[in-house]
């Protein structure tokens, strides 16, 4: 939760990237998760401050992870993933959970096991986080249940140039975002969204959108 609103990094991290808080920017914005309205109101200065506070928390999290890594031996398998990204008015929204665009759903996935997994390998394929469990099971030598929806990511690691030879099956990656009931008045573009990524393309469906919003959006992923 360290990179999650309300940003609560220790004081020694507070000015690493954010600098001084703009006079117009109340600390209560973070408590109330109202950073979208605040950043919009104050323009570039407000957006820069919010991003800076996020980066402060990212650095704090990095330092805490290092403390854990320093205590692990080489037989430990480490997998790091985020549950979501953060929106900084990229599509008019702040915080997260509002859209299926890249800023919200493209997340880091890192795997580390010295002597077993190759060091420095970058896999460009888009995968789903539900594949984490079968990957860890295979690394541990435990059979993967037949009903598991994901597939082990190890073929991508073992042979990035010839994935099919190691059993990798390319398939679509899905994500969805559902409107949540709220007492607050919602924006007209607050709609249910679905997205599918396959073969270098990303298709987004906006469900029952307002007149000025397209129902379908196609992107070169």
């Amino acid at each position: 939760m360290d990179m999650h609103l309300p940003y609560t990094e220790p004081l020694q991290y507070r000015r690493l990237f954010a600098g001084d808080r703009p006079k117009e920017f109340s600390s209560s914005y973070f408590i109330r998760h109202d950073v979208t309205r605040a950043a919009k109101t104050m323009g570039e200065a407000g957006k820069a401050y919010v991003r800076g506070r996020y980066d402060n928390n990212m650095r704090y999290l990095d330092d805490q992870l290092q403390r854990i890594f320093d205590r692990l031996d080489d037989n430990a398998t480490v997998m790091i993933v985020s549950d979501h990204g953060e929106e900084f008015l990229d599509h008019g929204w702040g915080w997260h959970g509002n859209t299926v665009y890249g800023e919200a759903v493209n997340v880091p996935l890192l795997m580390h096991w010295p002597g077993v997994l190759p060091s420095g390998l970058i896999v460009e394929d888009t995968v789903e986080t539900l594949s984490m469990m079968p990957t860890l099971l295979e690394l541990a030598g435990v059979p993967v249940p037949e009903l598991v929806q994901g597939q082990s990511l190890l073929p991508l690691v073992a042979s990035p140039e010839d994935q099919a030879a190691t059993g990798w099956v390319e398939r679509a990656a899905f994500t969805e975002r559902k409107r949540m009931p709220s007492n607050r008045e919602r924006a007209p573009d607050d709609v249910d969204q679905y997205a599918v990524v396959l073969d270098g393309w990303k298709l987004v469906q906006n469900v029952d959108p307002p007149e000025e919003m397209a129902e379908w959006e196609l992107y070169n992923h």
Side-chain angles (χ1 to χ4, degrees), residues 3-213:
M3 293 171 63
H4 200 289
L5 284 173
Y7 300 146
T8 55
E9 73 275 29
L11 286 176
Q12 61 267 36
Y13 291 83
R14 189 65 54 85
R15 287 183 171 83
L16 280 180
F17 302 103
D20 294 328
R21 176 169 59 86
K23 293 181 179 179
E24 305 89 348
F25 203 107
S26 169
S27 58
S28 66
Y29 287 133
F30 292 108
I31 304 297
R32 301 197 311 265
H33 294 189
D34 200 18
V35 291
T36 303
R37 184 181 305 172
K40 282 182 177 180
T41 302
M42 281 172 284
E44 293 304 317
K47 286 192 287 185
Y49 181 68
V50 174
R51 282 181 176 271
R53 290 293 300 273
Y54 183 81
D55 289 346
N56 290 346
N57 282 268
M58 188 187 305
R59 174 59 185 273
Y60 174 65
L61 177 63
D62 283 348
D63 289 349
Q64 306 319 304
L65 288 174
Q66 186 62 58
R67 294 174 61 195
I68 297 176
F69 297 155
D70 289 344
R71 291 177 175 266
L72 296 178
D73 59 37
D74 288 344
N75 196 39
T77 305
V78 176
M79 182 177 283
I80 299 175
V81 68
S82 176
D83 57 339
H84 56 74
E86 196 77 346
E87 302 172 66
F88 294 103
L89 306 182
D90 310 75
H91 285 84
W93 295 88
W95 201 41
H96 54 262
N98 302 299
T99 72
V100 295
Y101 299 119
E103 61 270 19
V105 301
N106 295 346
V107 297
L109 175 60
L110 301 100
M111 298 166 56
H112 179 69
W113 191 357
V116 179
L117 297 175
S119 177
L121 175 66
I122 298 177
V123 177
E124 299 289 350
D125 299 64
T126 296
V127 298
E128 297 173 298
T129 51
L130 55 76
S131 289
M132 291 174 56
M133 186 259 274
T135 303
L136 289 171
L137 288 179
E138 184 172 352
L139 283 171
V142 177
V144 179
E146 292 184 5
L147 294 180
V148 167
Q149 295 181 35
Q151 60 178 327
S152 172
L153 301 174
L154 294 189
L156 297 179
V157 176
S159 182
E161 303 301 324
D162 189 8
Q163 301 165 0
T166 53
W168 177 254
V169 178
E170 184 180 12
R171 65 182 196 182
F174 293 92
T175 188
E176 63 181 334
R177 182 264 170 177
K178 301 289 288 182
R179 286 185 61 169
M180 299 299 289
S182 173
N183 292 328
R184 295 181 299 167
E185 181 180 351
R186 306 295 293 193
D189 58 348
D190 180 20
V191 297
D192 290 352
Q193 282 188 316
Y194 300 92
V196 56
V197 174
L198 181 64
D199 196 27
W201 297 93
K202 178 173 181 175
L203 181 66
V204 175
Q205 181 187 17
N206 300 305
V207 180
D208 193 20
E211 184 175 348
E212 65 276 9
M213 187 179 190

